Amino acid sequence: MFSGGQIQYVLMNLPASATEFLDVFVGLYSVEKVSQCPIKVFCYHFAHVDSPEESTLEAVKEVLGAEPENPFVHLVRKTAPKTWMTCIEFVVPQSVLRGENLAKRTKTE
């Protein structure tokens, strides 16, 4: 990817709550820096449903307020009969880094 001391990869290894912290990427960079600093995220998540891949992607979209780029959901392991630990990897969209989706975002509490 890119070099120069900029953030490139972020690992969020708190499956019970990591998706709640994804809002830190909204408006993180100015327009000038965005194209130089792509951020690839690996975010762990507990999915308590029958379709863990879809549930994980929806949790990320809800917090970011946008579709993540190139998402891929890994099924890490089953932690209970209906609970999967997943890891979603994706690139944070430039529109999110610039804060363009602030009006669309759903606030999570």
Side-chain angles (χ1 to χ4, degrees):
M1 251 198 231
F2 295 84
S3 60
Q6 301 296 335
I7 298 171
Q8 295 180 26
Y9 298 95
V10 176
L11 174 63
M12 302 177 79
N13 191 12
L14 296 168
S17 61
T19 55
E20 296 173 23
F21 296 103
L22 291 172
D23 64 348
V24 300
F25 296 111
V26 178
L28 183 63
Y29 289 131
S30 66
V31 175
E32 298 83 40
K33 289 186 173 184
V34 164
S35 63
Q36 300 170 14
C37 307
I39 299 175
K40 184 162 193 169
V41 175
F42 296 85
C43 183
Y44 286 83
H45 179 71
F46 284 132
H48 306 281
V49 293
D50 293 330
S51 56
E53 295 96 336
E54 185 177 316
S55 171
T56 301
L57 182 58
E58 286 302 315
V60 170
K61 286 175 16 180
E62 181 179 331
V63 176
L64 290 181
E67 185 82 28
E69 294 178 7
N70 305 317
F72 182 77
V73 179
H74 306 269
L75 295 178
V76 177
R77 66 185 171 98
K78 206 166 195 178
T79 58
K82 290 196 172 201
T83 304
W84 277 93
M85 179 189 293
T86 61
C87 179
I88 183 169
E89 68 177 84
F90 64 93
V91 175
V92 181
Q94 290 188 8
S95 62
V96 172
L97 293 171
R98 288 191 300 258
E100 294 174 3
N101 61 334
L102 289 174
K104 295 188 252 178
R105 236 175 101 222
T106 304
K107 183 171 172 87
T108 57
E109 302 191 63

